[in-house]
Amino acid sequence: MTPGRSGPKAHGARTARTIHAALLGCLAMAFFAIPLSHLDHYAWDYDEGPQLQAASLAYGGARLYTDIPLNKPPLLTWYLQMVIRTLGDSVWALRYAVLLANFVGFVAVGALARLWFGRWGDVGAMTLVLLPGELTVRSGVVMNDLPAMTLGLLALWAGTLSRLRNAYGWLAFSAAACASMLLVHPMLIVLVLPLASVQLVSAGRSLNRPAFRSMVIRAFLFGVVVLLILMIVILQVDLEGFRHWVLDY
């Protein structure tokens, strides 16, 4: 490899990496720009009041689903309680914590697109997410849907990694993220279908015995981790109240 041939190629690769990093930085700043400007403001018609109230009351010692009526699973409330313990009981701090969680989901969109489509896939996917403007307006509001979507995207990202690398550790991480997603917003159970397709469809292209055995093992491990986490968390709350306020509603 001669310097005359490698030099221009290396320079072009460095330039491409620099442009790529700069674009990702601009997208990150664009994500934060709008919500940071109104973290202290009234949240328009978004129904964040019950979630903020539940977190504050739970931090003060009231029991979820016994003393506090809430029609969502407890994971986001527990996260907000941790924020209150760390940063104080203010709307600004809780919104900022949720904004950071939603930023992880924004990054996960890019990471997932890069796995599927290669370099520049992350820039394209993250740009498309920002274009409607809905995400940036709502990302700083304390609601369950976007944090749950973040966990679903992390589950898809880790599931894709586990499939590409045949790594059971990433599969377990994907299952944990999936269970956490359901413990924030159960209506996102629909994401189990793309998660299953990432894990099982490619394994099912060949009907030979090793491929089928691998598919069964992966499905079993995924299901066990999801069910175990769901069971551990649900057993920490009032089961009768949980059934009434979350499942019945």
Side-chain angles (χ1 to χ4, degrees):
M1 183 182 294
T2 62
R5 291 181 179 177
S6 61
K9 287 184 179 179
H11 178 71
R14 283 196 300 270
T15 301
R17 286 196 297 270
T18 302
I19 293 172
H20 181 262
L23 288 173
L24 289 179
C26 291
L27 288 167
M29 287 189 289
F31 177 89
F32 282 110
I34 296 176
L36 281 177
S37 67
H38 64 249
L39 283 184
D40 302 351
H41 299 171
Y42 176 64
W44 303 288
D45 60 344
Y46 298 130
D47 189 19
E48 71 173 352
Q51 185 63 70
L52 290 171
Q53 216 172 28
S56 184
L57 290 170
Y59 180 72
R63 290 192 63 197
L64 276 177
Y65 315 118
T66 304
D67 307 314
I68 306 169
L70 183 69
N71 66 344
K72 295 292 189 299
L75 206 59
L76 181 62
T77 304
W78 291 349
Y79 173 64
L80 296 175
Q81 284 180 259
M82 182 183 69
V83 174
I84 292 172
R85 185 176 294 111
T86 306
L87 300 177
D89 191 0
S90 70
V91 173
W92 186 93
L94 295 173
R95 286 180 176 173
Y96 185 70
V98 169
L99 175 62
L100 289 179
N102 291 332
F103 178 68
V104 173
F106 182 60
V107 173
V109 168
L112 186 60
R114 182 156 185 161
L115 285 179
W116 286 350
F117 306 112
R119 175 176 279 195
W120 304 106
D122 48 6
V123 172
M126 293 162 80
T127 301
L128 288 173
V129 168
L130 289 180
L131 284 178
E134 176 72 6
L135 177 69
T136 49
V137 171
R138 297 182 62 221
S139 55
V141 179
V142 181
M143 296 179 68
N144 294 69
D145 48 1
L146 291 181
M149 193 68 78
T150 288
L151 291 163
L153 288 164
L154 287 175
L156 283 168
W157 171 73
T160 303
L161 271 182
S162 76
R163 195 72 205 121
L164 292 173
R165 301 178 182 179
N166 196 29
Y168 287 105
W170 283 116
L171 178 66
F173 181 91
S174 177
C178 178
S180 301
M181 172 191 74
L182 297 175
L183 289 166
V184 173
H185 203 316
M187 295 299 289
L188 288 182
I189 194 172
V190 293
L191 284 182
V192 170
L193 293 175
L195 275 168
S197 69
V198 166
Q199 293 303 321
L200 304 179
V201 170
S202 57
R205 289 177 182 173
S206 172
L207 296 179
N208 59 60
R209 186 171 295 177
F212 180 75
R213 183 167 58 246
S214 173
M215 183 174 65
V216 171
I217 291 172
R218 297 177 75 82
F220 178 76
L221 176 61
F222 190 91
V224 165
V225 174
V226 168
L227 291 175
L228 186 62
I229 293 174
L230 291 177
M231 197 163 50
I232 290 172
V233 170
I234 290 173
L235 287 176
Q236 306 307 308
V237 300
D238 172 24
L239 293 178
E240 182 61 28
F242 180 85
R243 182 196 64 77
H244 174 71
W245 290 112
V246 178
L247 301 182
D248 289 353
Y249 276 81

